């Protein structure tokens, strides 16, 4: 299938698919004309990439861990022991960011509350 069909089947823009290729996440075959040719495995690969992006990983991290991910009936499962540790570290970074955002929100709530008292 060509890139337009992959985009349609995955709901991902052609631009994003080209970006995934630039990052080494997808490796389509090329026809002599230069057209990209994708297979059904690429549809599954794009789904895995989207799930991992949604989990807060960047494309460099995804490139590193993709070989250690097994897709079992729609569930992504880590296959390398070191991957679990890396994912836990990522989750800890997200927890820290959430804590910082909650603190920022509390500060804004205080400022907003002070404005109400002054009115």
């Amino acid at each position: 299938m060509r890139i337009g069909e992959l985009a349609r089947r995955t709901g991902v823009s052609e631009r994003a698919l080209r970006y995934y290729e630039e990052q080494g996440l997808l490796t389509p075959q090329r026809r002599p004309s230069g057209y990209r040719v994708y297979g059904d495995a690429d549809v599954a690969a794009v789904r895995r990439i989207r799930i991992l992006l949604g989990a807060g990983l960047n494309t460099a991290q995804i490139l590193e861990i993709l070989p250690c991910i097994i897709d079992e009936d729609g569930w992504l499962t880590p296959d390398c022991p070191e991957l679990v540790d890396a994912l836990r570290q990522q989750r800890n970074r997200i927890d820290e960011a959430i804590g910082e955002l909650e603190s920022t929100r509390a500060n804004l709530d205080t400022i907003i509350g002070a404005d109400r008292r002054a009115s």
Side-chain angles (χ1 to χ4, degrees):
M1 81 187 81
R2 295 199 350 204
I3 194 167
E5 175 67 10
L6 182 63
R8 188 188 63 73
R9 288 181 60 184
T10 61
V12 174
S13 72
E14 292 181 20
R15 182 176 179 197
L17 294 172
R18 286 187 198 97
Y19 177 74
Y20 297 164
E21 181 182 351
E22 288 172 12
Q23 299 302 306
L25 299 172
L26 291 175
T27 52
Q29 295 178 357
R30 293 280 188 153
R31 290 190 175 160
S33 63
Y35 284 112
R36 295 166 176 87
V37 179
Y38 297 92
D40 289 332
D42 293 310
V43 174
V46 170
R47 191 186 71 73
R48 287 190 300 273
I49 292 165
R50 300 300 293 177
I51 290 170
L52 294 168
L53 285 169
L57 301 173
N58 63 42
T59 55
Q61 292 168 317
I62 293 170
L63 181 61
E64 186 178 324
I65 70 166
L66 211 48
C68 289
I69 294 288
I70 297 173
D71 192 341
E72 296 177 340
D73 298 325
W75 293 93
L76 298 187
T77 306
D79 189 40
C80 306
E82 64 275 8
L83 177 57
V84 174
D85 290 336
L87 293 174
R88 283 189 180 122
Q89 290 174 359
Q90 178 69 10
R91 185 184 60 203
N92 290 341
R93 283 191 291 274
I94 290 169
D95 287 343
E96 289 174 14
I98 289 169
E100 291 173 12
L101 287 169
E102 287 174 339
S103 176
T104 300
R105 183 180 57 204
N107 288 337
L108 282 172
D109 288 345
T110 300
I111 292 168
I112 291 167
D115 181 55
R116 286 188 203 145
R117 288 189 298 271
S119 296

mmCIF file with all atom_site columns, all heavy atoms in Angstrom, residues 78-103:
data_model
loop_
_atom_site.group_PDB
_atom_site.id
_atom_site.type_symbol
_atom_site.label_atom_id
_atom_site.label_alt_id
_atom_site.label_comp_id
_atom_site.label_asym_id
_atom_site.label_entity_id
_atom_site.label_seq_id
_atom_site.pdbx_PDB_ins_code
_atom_site.Cartn_x
_atom_site.Cartn_y
_atom_site.Cartn_z
_atom_site.occupancy
_atom_site.B_iso_or_equiv
_atom_site.pdbx_formal_charge
_atom_site.auth_seq_id
_atom_site.auth_comp_id
_atom_site.auth_asym_id
_atom_site.auth_atom_id
_atom_site.pdbx_PDB_model_num
ATOM 1   N N   . PRO A 1 78  ? 6.331  -5.458  27.485 1.00 0.00 ? 78  PRO A N   1
ATOM 2   C CA  . PRO A 1 78  ? 7.787  -5.401  27.368 1.00 0.00 ? 78  PRO A CA  1
ATOM 3   C C   . PRO A 1 78  ? 8.370  -6.813  27.377 1.00 0.00 ? 78  PRO A C   1
ATOM 4   O O   . PRO A 1 78  ? 7.954  -7.662  28.158 1.00 0.00 ? 78  PRO A O   1
ATOM 5   C CB  . PRO A 1 78  ? 8.216  -4.613  28.603 1.00 0.00 ? 78  PRO A CB  1
ATOM 6   C CG  . PRO A 1 78  ? 7.062  -4.602  29.525 1.00 0.00 ? 78  PRO A CG  1
ATOM 7   C CD  . PRO A 1 78  ? 5.841  -4.927  28.744 1.00 0.00 ? 78  PRO A CD  1
ATOM 8   N N   . ASP A 1 79  ? 9.350  -7.049  26.496 1.00 0.00 ? 79  ASP A N   1
ATOM 9   C CA  . ASP A 1 79  ? 9.972  -8.360  26.379 1.00 0.00 ? 79  ASP A CA  1
ATOM 10  C C   . ASP A 1 79  ? 11.399 -8.371  26.929 1.00 0.00 ? 79  ASP A C   1
ATOM 11  O O   . ASP A 1 79  ? 11.979 -9.425  27.088 1.00 0.00 ? 79  ASP A O   1
ATOM 12  C CB  . ASP A 1 79  ? 9.971  -8.804  24.910 1.00 0.00 ? 79  ASP A CB  1
ATOM 13  C CG  . ASP A 1 79  ? 10.391 -10.241 24.730 1.00 0.00 ? 79  ASP A CG  1
ATOM 14  O OD1 . ASP A 1 79  ? 9.993  -11.081 25.555 1.00 0.00 ? 79  ASP A OD1 1
ATOM 15  O OD2 . ASP A 1 79  ? 11.115 -10.528 23.760 1.00 0.00 ? 79  ASP A OD2 1
ATOM 16  N N   . CYS A 1 80  ? 11.966 -7.216  27.196 1.00 0.00 ? 80  CYS A N   1
ATOM 17  C CA  . CYS A 1 80  ? 13.331 -7.121  27.720 1.00 0.00 ? 80  CYS A CA  1
ATOM 18  C C   . CYS A 1 80  ? 13.261 -6.624  29.167 1.00 0.00 ? 80  CYS A C   1
ATOM 19  O O   . CYS A 1 80  ? 12.600 -5.611  29.434 1.00 0.00 ? 80  CYS A O   1
ATOM 20  C CB  . CYS A 1 80  ? 14.155 -6.144  26.899 1.00 0.00 ? 80  CYS A CB  1
ATOM 21  S SG  . CYS A 1 80  ? 14.171 -6.492  25.126 1.00 0.00 ? 80  CYS A SG  1
ATOM 22  N N   . PRO A 1 81  ? 13.934 -7.298  30.103 1.00 0.00 ? 81  PRO A N   1
ATOM 23  C CA  . PRO A 1 81  ? 13.856 -6.894  31.513 1.00 0.00 ? 81  PRO A CA  1
ATOM 24  C C   . PRO A 1 81  ? 14.267 -5.441  31.757 1.00 0.00 ? 81  PRO A C   1
ATOM 25  O O   . PRO A 1 81  ? 13.641 -4.743  32.552 1.00 0.00 ? 81  PRO A O   1
ATOM 26  C CB  . PRO A 1 81  ? 14.815 -7.852  32.224 1.00 0.00 ? 81  PRO A CB  1
ATOM 27  C CG  . PRO A 1 81  ? 15.021 -8.978  31.290 1.00 0.00 ? 81  PRO A CG  1
ATOM 28  C CD  . PRO A 1 81  ? 14.776 -8.462  29.911 1.00 0.00 ? 81  PRO A CD  1
ATOM 29  N N   . GLU A 1 82  ? 15.289 -4.969  31.048 1.00 0.00 ? 82  GLU A N   1
ATOM 30  C CA  . GLU A 1 82  ? 15.748 -3.593  31.260 1.00 0.00 ? 82  GLU A CA  1
ATOM 31  C C   . GLU A 1 82  ? 14.717 -2.568  30.797 1.00 0.00 ? 82  GLU A C   1
ATOM 32  O O   . GLU A 1 82  ? 14.704 -1.433  31.253 1.00 0.00 ? 82  GLU A O   1
ATOM 33  C CB  . GLU A 1 82  ? 17.100 -3.350  30.576 1.00 0.00 ? 82  GLU A CB  1
ATOM 34  C CG  . GLU A 1 82  ? 17.076 -3.456  29.073 1.00 0.00 ? 82  GLU A CG  1
ATOM 35  C CD  . GLU A 1 82  ? 17.241 -4.866  28.517 1.00 0.00 ? 82  GLU A CD  1
ATOM 36  O OE1 . GLU A 1 82  ? 17.236 -5.851  29.269 1.00 0.00 ? 82  GLU A OE1 1
ATOM 37  O OE2 . GLU A 1 82  ? 17.352 -4.980  27.292 1.00 0.00 ? 82  GLU A OE2 1
ATOM 38  N N   . LEU A 1 83  ? 13.850 -2.983  29.916 1.00 0.00 ? 83  LEU A N   1
ATOM 39  C CA  . LEU A 1 83  ? 12.814 -2.077  29.424 1.00 0.00 ? 83  LEU A CA  1
ATOM 40  C C   . LEU A 1 83  ? 11.842 -1.695  30.532 1.00 0.00 ? 83  LEU A C   1
ATOM 41  O O   . LEU A 1 83  ? 11.433 -0.546  30.639 1.00 0.00 ? 83  LEU A O   1
ATOM 42  C CB  . LEU A 1 83  ? 12.064 -2.702  28.253 1.00 0.00 ? 83  LEU A CB  1
ATOM 43  C CG  . LEU A 1 83  ? 10.899 -1.889  27.695 1.00 0.00 ? 83  LEU A CG  1
ATOM 44  C CD1 . LEU A 1 83  ? 11.342 -0.509  27.253 1.00 0.00 ? 83  LEU A CD1 1
ATOM 45  C CD2 . LEU A 1 83  ? 10.255 -2.632  26.541 1.00 0.00 ? 83  LEU A CD2 1
ATOM 46  N N   . VAL A 1 84  ? 11.505 -2.639  31.372 1.00 0.00 ? 84  VAL A N   1
ATOM 47  C CA  . VAL A 1 84  ? 10.572 -2.357  32.467 1.00 0.00 ? 84  VAL A CA  1
ATOM 48  C C   . VAL A 1 84  ? 11.157 -1.274  33.372 1.00 0.00 ? 84  VAL A C   1
ATOM 49  O O   . VAL A 1 84  ? 10.456 -0.344  33.777 1.00 0.00 ? 84  VAL A O   1
ATOM 50  C CB  . VAL A 1 84  ? 10.235 -3.640  33.255 1.00 0.00 ? 84  VAL A CB  1
ATOM 51  C CG1 . VAL A 1 84  ? 9.384  -3.326  34.467 1.00 0.00 ? 84  VAL A CG1 1
ATOM 52  C CG2 . VAL A 1 84  ? 9.534  -4.641  32.347 1.00 0.00 ? 84  VAL A CG2 1
ATOM 53  N N   . ASP A 1 85  ? 12.442 -1.356  33.675 1.00 0.00 ? 85  ASP A N   1
ATOM 54  C CA  . ASP A 1 85  ? 13.083 -0.334  34.509 1.00 0.00 ? 85  ASP A CA  1
ATOM 55  C C   . ASP A 1 85  ? 13.043 1.031   33.829 1.00 0.00 ? 85  ASP A C   1
ATOM 56  O O   . ASP A 1 85  ? 12.753 2.038   34.474 1.00 0.00 ? 85  ASP A O   1
ATOM 57  C CB  . ASP A 1 85  ? 14.527 -0.720  34.819 1.00 0.00 ? 85  ASP A CB  1
ATOM 58  C CG  . ASP A 1 85  ? 14.626 -1.905  35.759 1.00 0.00 ? 85  ASP A CG  1
ATOM 59  O OD1 . ASP A 1 85  ? 13.669 -2.149  36.529 1.00 0.00 ? 85  ASP A OD1 1
ATOM 60  O OD2 . ASP A 1 85  ? 15.668 -2.597  35.719 1.00 0.00 ? 85  ASP A OD2 1
ATOM 61  N N   . ALA A 1 86  ? 13.313 1.065   32.539 1.00 0.00 ? 86  ALA A N   1
ATOM 62  C CA  . ALA A 1 86  ? 13.283 2.330   31.797 1.00 0.00 ? 86  ALA A CA  1
ATOM 63  C C   . ALA A 1 86  ? 11.870 2.917   31.787 1.00 0.00 ? 86  ALA A C   1
ATOM 64  O O   . ALA A 1 86  ? 11.692 4.132   31.941 1.00 0.00 ? 86  ALA A O   1
ATOM 65  C CB  . ALA A 1 86  ? 13.787 2.125   30.373 1.00 0.00 ? 86  ALA A CB  1
ATOM 66  N N   . LEU A 1 87  ? 10.869 2.070   31.637 1.00 0.00 ? 87  LEU A N   1
ATOM 67  C CA  . LEU A 1 87  ? 9.486  2.552   31.645 1.00 0.00 ? 87  LEU A CA  1
ATOM 68  C C   . LEU A 1 87  ? 9.089  3.055   33.022 1.00 0.00 ? 87  LEU A C   1
ATOM 69  O O   . LEU A 1 87  ? 8.355  4.035   33.143 1.00 0.00 ? 87  LEU A O   1
ATOM 70  C CB  . LEU A 1 87  ? 8.538  1.449   31.171 1.00 0.00 ? 87  LEU A CB  1
ATOM 71  C CG  . LEU A 1 87  ? 8.687  1.054   29.692 1.00 0.00 ? 87  LEU A CG  1
ATOM 72  C CD1 . LEU A 1 87  ? 7.797  -0.141  29.371 1.00 0.00 ? 87  LEU A CD1 1
ATOM 73  C CD2 . LEU A 1 87  ? 8.387  2.217   28.777 1.00 0.00 ? 87  LEU A CD2 1
ATOM 74  N N   . ARG A 1 88  ? 9.584  2.398   34.054 1.00 0.00 ? 88  ARG A N   1
ATOM 75  C CA  . ARG A 1 88  ? 9.310  2.891   35.422 1.00 0.00 ? 88  ARG A CA  1
ATOM 76  C C   . ARG A 1 88  ? 9.945  4.263   35.636 1.00 0.00 ? 88  ARG A C   1
ATOM 77  O O   . ARG A 1 88  ? 9.346  5.133   36.270 1.00 0.00 ? 88  ARG A O   1
ATOM 78  C CB  . ARG A 1 88  ? 9.827  1.885   36.444 1.00 0.00 ? 88  ARG A CB  1
ATOM 79  C CG  . ARG A 1 88  ? 8.941  0.692   36.598 1.00 0.00 ? 88  ARG A CG  1
ATOM 80  C CD  . ARG A 1 88  ? 9.370  -0.185  37.772 1.00 0.00 ? 88  ARG A CD  1
ATOM 81  N NE  . ARG A 1 88  ? 8.475  -1.315  37.881 1.00 0.00 ? 88  ARG A NE  1
ATOM 82  C CZ  . ARG A 1 88  ? 8.858  -2.586  37.821 1.00 0.00 ? 88  ARG A CZ  1
ATOM 83  N NH1 . ARG A 1 88  ? 10.129 -2.891  37.699 1.00 0.00 ? 88  ARG A NH1 1
ATOM 84  N NH2 . ARG A 1 88  ? 7.970  -3.553  37.902 1.00 0.00 ? 88  ARG A NH2 1
ATOM 85  N N   . GLN A 1 89  ? 11.149 4.455   35.128 1.00 0.00 ? 89  GLN A N   1
ATOM 86  C CA  . GLN A 1 89  ? 11.799 5.765   35.235 1.00 0.00 ? 89  GLN A CA  1
ATOM 87  C C   . GLN A 1 89  ? 10.987 6.831   34.504 1.00 0.00 ? 89  GLN A C   1
ATOM 88  O O   . GLN A 1 89  ? 10.822 7.950   35.004 1.00 0.00 ? 89  GLN A O   1
ATOM 89  C CB  . GLN A 1 89  ? 13.218 5.711   34.680 1.00 0.00 ? 89  GLN A CB  1
ATOM 90  C CG  . GLN A 1 89  ? 14.174 4.913   35.541 1.00 0.00 ? 89  GLN A CG  1
ATOM 91  C CD  . GLN A 1 89  ? 15.534 4.764   34.881 1.00 0.00 ? 89  GLN A CD  1
ATOM 92  O OE1 . GLN A 1 89  ? 15.775 5.241   33.768 1.00 0.00 ? 89  GLN A OE1 1
ATOM 93  N NE2 . GLN A 1 89  ? 16.444 4.076   35.561 1.00 0.00 ? 89  GLN A NE2 1
ATOM 94  N N   . GLN A 1 90  ? 10.485 6.483   33.341 1.00 0.00 ? 90  GLN A N   1
ATOM 95  C CA  . GLN A 1 90  ? 9.642  7.417   32.590 1.00 0.00 ? 90  GLN A CA  1
ATOM 96  C C   . GLN A 1 90  ? 8.387  7.754   33.388 1.00 0.00 ? 90  GLN A C   1
ATOM 97  O O   . GLN A 1 90  ? 7.983  8.917   33.470 1.00 0.00 ? 90  GLN A O   1
ATOM 98  C CB  . GLN A 1 90  ? 9.268  6.823   31.228 1.00 0.00 ? 90  GLN A CB  1
ATOM 99  C CG  . GLN A 1 90  ? 8.350  7.682   30.393 1.00 0.00 ? 90  GLN A CG  1
ATOM 100 C CD  . GLN A 1 90  ? 9.000  8.964   29.888 1.00 0.00 ? 90  GLN A CD  1
ATOM 101 O OE1 . GLN A 1 90  ? 10.203 9.170   30.000 1.00 0.00 ? 90  GLN A OE1 1
ATOM 102 N NE2 . GLN A 1 90  ? 8.195  9.842   29.340 1.00 0.00 ? 90  GLN A NE2 1
ATOM 103 N N   . ARG A 1 91  ? 7.766  6.743   33.981 1.00 0.00 ? 91  ARG A N   1
ATOM 104 C CA  . ARG A 1 91  ? 6.569  6.984   34.789 1.00 0.00 ? 91  ARG A CA  1
ATOM 105 C C   . ARG A 1 91  ? 6.902  7.883   35.977 1.00 0.00 ? 91  ARG A C   1
ATOM 106 O O   . ARG A 1 91  ? 6.122  8.791   36.321 1.00 0.00 ? 91  ARG A O   1
ATOM 107 C CB  . ARG A 1 91  ? 5.979  5.664   35.275 1.00 0.00 ? 91  ARG A CB  1
ATOM 108 C CG  . ARG A 1 91  ? 4.646  5.874   36.017 1.00 0.00 ? 91  ARG A CG  1
ATOM 109 C CD  . ARG A 1 91  ? 4.088  4.616   36.588 1.00 0.00 ? 91  ARG A CD  1
ATOM 110 N NE  . ARG A 1 91  ? 5.046  4.068   37.543 1.00 0.00 ? 91  ARG A NE  1
ATOM 111 C CZ  . ARG A 1 91  ? 5.100  2.789   37.903 1.00 0.00 ? 91  ARG A CZ  1
ATOM 112 N NH1 . ARG A 1 91  ? 4.276  1.922   37.398 1.00 0.00 ? 91  ARG A NH1 1
ATOM 113 N NH2 . ARG A 1 91  ? 5.991  2.373   38.771 1.00 0.00 ? 91  ARG A NH2 1
ATOM 114 N N   . ASN A 1 92  ? 8.059  7.697   36.601 1.00 0.00 ? 92  ASN A N   1
ATOM 115 C CA  . ASN A 1 92  ? 8.467  8.541   37.727 1.00 0.00 ? 92  ASN A CA  1
ATOM 116 C C   . ASN A 1 92  ? 8.651  9.991   37.281 1.00 0.00 ? 92  ASN A C   1
ATOM 117 O O   . ASN A 1 92  ? 8.266  10.920  38.006 1.00 0.00 ? 92  ASN A O   1
ATOM 118 C CB  . ASN A 1 92  ? 9.749  8.005   38.364 1.00 0.00 ? 92  ASN A CB  1
ATOM 119 C CG  . ASN A 1 92  ? 9.519  6.708   39.109 1.00 0.00 ? 92  ASN A CG  1
ATOM 120 O OD1 . ASN A 1 92  ? 8.397  6.360   39.466 1.00 0.00 ? 92  ASN A OD1 1
ATOM 121 N ND2 . ASN A 1 92  ? 10.589 5.961   39.333 1.00 0.00 ? 92  ASN A ND2 1
ATOM 122 N N   . ARG A 1 93  ? 9.221  10.196  36.069 1.00 0.00 ? 93  ARG A N   1
ATOM 123 C CA  . ARG A 1 93  ? 9.353  11.564  35.548 1.00 0.00 ? 93  ARG A CA  1
ATOM 124 C C   . ARG A 1 93  ? 7.981  12.204  35.332 1.00 0.00 ? 93  ARG A C   1
ATOM 125 O O   . ARG A 1 93  ? 7.771  13.382  35.620 1.00 0.00 ? 93  ARG A O   1
ATOM 126 C CB  . ARG A 1 93  ? 10.150 11.559  34.244 1.00 0.00 ? 93  ARG A CB  1
ATOM 127 C CG  . ARG A 1 93  ? 11.645 11.407  34.429 1.00 0.00 ? 93  ARG A CG  1
ATOM 128 C CD  . ARG A 1 93  ? 12.405 11.689  33.133 1.00 0.00 ? 93  ARG A CD  1
ATOM 129 N NE  . ARG A 1 93  ? 12.166 10.665  32.122 1.00 0.00 ? 93  ARG A NE  1
ATOM 130 C CZ  . ARG A 1 93  ? 12.838 9.535   32.032 1.00 0.00 ? 93  ARG A CZ  1
ATOM 131 N NH1 . ARG A 1 93  ? 13.777 9.251   32.894 1.00 0.00 ? 93  ARG A NH1 1
ATOM 132 N NH2 . ARG A 1 93  ? 12.566 8.678   31.074 1.00 0.00 ? 93  ARG A NH2 1
ATOM 133 N N   . ILE A 1 94  ? 7.036  11.413  34.857 1.00 0.00 ? 94  ILE A N   1
ATOM 134 C CA  . ILE A 1 94  ? 5.681  11.923  34.649 1.00 0.00 ? 94  ILE A CA  1
ATOM 135 C C   . ILE A 1 94  ? 5.042  12.264  35.991 1.00 0.00 ? 94  ILE A C   1
ATOM 136 O O   . ILE A 1 94  ? 4.400  13.314  36.144 1.00 0.00 ? 94  ILE A O   1
ATOM 137 C CB  . ILE A 1 94  ? 4.827  10.896  33.869 1.00 0.00 ? 94  ILE A CB  1
ATOM 138 C CG1 . ILE A 1 94  ? 5.324  10.806  32.423 1.00 0.00 ? 94  ILE A CG1 1
ATOM 139 C CG2 . ILE A 1 94  ? 3.345  11.264  33.909 1.00 0.00 ? 94  ILE A CG2 1
ATOM 140 C CD1 . ILE A 1 94  ? 4.740  9.652   31.631 1.00 0.00 ? 94  ILE A CD1 1
ATOM 141 N N   . ASP A 1 95  ? 5.226  11.402  36.995 1.00 0.00 ? 95  ASP A N   1
ATOM 142 C CA  . ASP A 1 95  ? 4.698  11.684  38.335 1.00 0.00 ? 95  ASP A CA  1
ATOM 143 C C   . ASP A 1 95  ? 5.260  12.990  38.894 1.00 0.00 ? 95  ASP A C   1
ATOM 144 O O   . ASP A 1 95  ? 4.534  13.790  39.495 1.00 0.00 ? 95  ASP A O   1
ATOM 145 C CB  . ASP A 1 95  ? 5.012  10.536  39.304 1.00 0.00 ? 95  ASP A CB  1
ATOM 146 C CG  . ASP A 1 95  ? 4.173  9.301   39.052 1.00 0.00 ? 95  ASP A CG  1
ATOM 147 O OD1 . ASP A 1 95  ? 3.138  9.402   38.365 1.00 0.00 ? 95  ASP A OD1 1
ATOM 148 O OD2 . ASP A 1 95  ? 4.570  8.211   39.538 1.00 0.00 ? 95  ASP A OD2 1
ATOM 149 N N   . GLU A 1 96  ? 6.563  13.217  38.683 1.00 0.00 ? 96  GLU A N   1
ATOM 150 C CA  . GLU A 1 96  ? 7.182  14.466  39.143 1.00 0.00 ? 96  GLU A CA  1
ATOM 151 C C   . GLU A 1 96  ? 6.578  15.669  38.420 1.00 0.00 ? 96  GLU A C   1
ATOM 152 O O   . GLU A 1 96  ? 6.297  16.700  39.042 1.00 0.00 ? 96  GLU A O   1
ATOM 153 C CB  . GLU A 1 96  ? 8.691  14.421  38.916 1.00 0.00 ? 96  GLU A CB  1
ATOM 154 C CG  . GLU A 1 96  ? 9.413  13.471  39.853 1.00 0.00 ? 96  GLU A CG  1
ATOM 155 C CD  . GLU A 1 96  ? 10.895 13.335  39.520 1.00 0.00 ? 96  GLU A CD  1
ATOM 156 O OE1 . GLU A 1 96  ? 11.415 14.171  38.736 1.00 0.00 ? 96  GLU A OE1 1
ATOM 157 O OE2 . GLU A 1 96  ? 11.523 12.406  40.041 1.00 0.00 ? 96  GLU A OE2 1
ATOM 158 N N   . ALA A 1 97  ? 6.376  15.542  37.124 1.00 0.00 ? 97  ALA A N   1
ATOM 159 C CA  . ALA A 1 97  ? 5.788  16.642  36.349 1.00 0.00 ? 97  ALA A CA  1
ATOM 160 C C   . ALA A 1 97  ? 4.364  16.928  36.817 1.00 0.00 ? 97  ALA A C   1
ATOM 161 O O   . ALA A 1 97  ? 3.962  18.092  36.934 1.00 0.00 ? 97  ALA A O   1
ATOM 162 C CB  . ALA A 1 97  ? 5.808  16.314  34.851 1.00 0.00 ? 97  ALA A CB  1
ATOM 163 N N   . ILE A 1 98  ? 3.614  15.882  37.119 1.00 0.00 ? 98  ILE A N   1
ATOM 164 C CA  . ILE A 1 98  ? 2.251  16.064  37.629 1.00 0.00 ? 98  ILE A CA  1
ATOM 165 C C   . ILE A 1 98  ? 2.291  16.803  38.956 1.00 0.00 ? 98  ILE A C   1
ATOM 166 O O   . ILE A 1 98  ? 1.495  17.727  39.191 1.00 0.00 ? 98  ILE A O   1
ATOM 167 C CB  . ILE A 1 98  ? 1.528  14.708  37.760 1.00 0.00 ? 98  ILE A CB  1
ATOM 168 C CG1 . ILE A 1 98  ? 1.202  14.144  36.379 1.00 0.00 ? 98  ILE A CG1 1
ATOM 169 C CG2 . ILE A 1 98  ? 0.257  14.837  38.604 1.00 0.00 ? 98  ILE A CG2 1
ATOM 170 C CD1 . ILE A 1 98  ? 0.721  12.701  36.388 1.00 0.00 ? 98  ILE A CD1 1
ATOM 171 N N   . GLY A 1 99  ? 3.212  16.423  39.830 1.00 0.00 ? 99  GLY A N   1
ATOM 172 C CA  . GLY A 1 99  ? 3.352  17.102  41.123 1.00 0.00 ? 99  GLY A CA  1
ATOM 173 C C   . GLY A 1 99  ? 3.657  18.581  40.954 1.00 0.00 ? 99  GLY A C   1
ATOM 174 O O   . GLY A 1 99  ? 3.087  19.432  41.649 1.00 0.00 ? 99  GLY A O   1
ATOM 175 N N   . GLU A 1 100 ? 4.542  18.893  40.017 1.00 0.00 ? 100 GLU A N   1
ATOM 176 C CA  . GLU A 1 100 ? 4.876  20.291  39.758 1.00 0.00 ? 100 GLU A CA  1
ATOM 177 C C   . GLU A 1 100 ? 3.674  21.047  39.207 1.00 0.00 ? 100 GLU A C   1
ATOM 178 O O   . GLU A 1 100 ? 3.417  22.200  39.603 1.00 0.00 ? 100 GLU A O   1
ATOM 179 C CB  . GLU A 1 100 ? 6.057  20.378  38.790 1.00 0.00 ? 100 GLU A CB  1
ATOM 180 C CG  . GLU A 1 100 ? 7.365  19.909  39.399 1.00 0.00 ? 100 GLU A CG  1
ATOM 181 C CD  . GLU A 1 100 ? 8.491  19.836  38.386 1.00 0.00 ? 100 GLU A CD  1
ATOM 182 O OE1 . GLU A 1 100 ? 8.337  20.369  37.252 1.00 0.00 ? 100 GLU A OE1 1
ATOM 183 O OE2 . GLU A 1 100 ? 9.531  19.245  38.720 1.00 0.00 ? 100 GLU A OE2 1
ATOM 184 N N   . LEU A 1 101 ? 2.919  20.433  38.321 1.00 0.00 ? 101 LEU A N   1
ATOM 185 C CA  . LEU A 1 101 ? 1.730  21.081  37.771 1.00 0.00 ? 101 LEU A CA  1
ATOM 186 C C   . LEU A 1 101 ? 0.663  21.296  38.844 1.00 0.00 ? 101 LEU A C   1
ATOM 187 O O   . LEU A 1 101 ? 0.005  22.343  38.874 1.00 0.00 ? 101 LEU A O   1
ATOM 188 C CB  . LEU A 1 101 ? 1.153  20.262  36.611 1.00 0.00 ? 101 LEU A CB  1
ATOM 189 C CG  . LEU A 1 101 ? 1.953  20.320  35.311 1.00 0.00 ? 101 LEU A CG  1
ATOM 190 C CD1 . LEU A 1 101 ? 1.435  19.273  34.332 1.00 0.00 ? 101 LEU A CD1 1
ATOM 191 C CD2 . LEU A 1 101 ? 1.896  21.710  34.706 1.00 0.00 ? 101 LEU A CD2 1
ATOM 192 N N   . GLU A 1 102 ? 0.497  20.328  39.736 1.00 0.00 ? 102 GLU A N   1
ATOM 193 C CA  . GLU A 1 102 ? -0.468 20.490  40.824 1.00 0.00 ? 102 GLU A CA  1
ATOM 194 C C   . GLU A 1 102 ? -0.068 21.639  41.736 1.00 0.00 ? 102 GLU A C   1
ATOM 195 O O   . GLU A 1 102 ? -0.915 22.409  42.187 1.00 0.00 ? 102 GLU A O   1
ATOM 196 C CB  . GLU A 1 102 ? -0.608 19.191  41.610 1.00 0.00 ? 102 GLU A CB  1
ATOM 197 C CG  . GLU A 1 102 ? -1.366 18.118  40.852 1.00 0.00 ? 102 GLU A CG  1
ATOM 198 C CD  . GLU A 1 102 ? -1.395 16.774  41.566 1.00 0.00 ? 102 GLU A CD  1
ATOM 199 O OE1 . GLU A 1 102 ? -0.529 16.523  42.448 1.00 0.00 ? 102 GLU A OE1 1
ATOM 200 O OE2 . GLU A 1 102 ? -2.283 15.963  41.233 1.00 0.00 ? 102 GLU A OE2 1
ATOM 201 N N   . SER A 1 103 ? 1.218  21.768  41.996 1.00 0.00 ? 103 SER A N   1
ATOM 202 C CA  . SER A 1 103 ? 1.711  22.878  42.818 1.00 0.00 ? 103 SER A CA  1
ATOM 203 C C   . SER A 1 103 ? 1.468  24.213  42.116 1.00 0.00 ? 103 SER A C   1
ATOM 204 O O   . SER A 1 103 ? 1.023  25.185  42.741 1.00 0.00 ? 103 SER A O   1
ATOM 205 C CB  . SER A 1 103 ? 3.206  22.689  43.087 1.00 0.00 ? 103 SER A CB  1
ATOM 206 O OG  . SER A 1 103 ? 3.724  23.772  43.799 1.00 0.00 ? 103 SER A OG  1
#
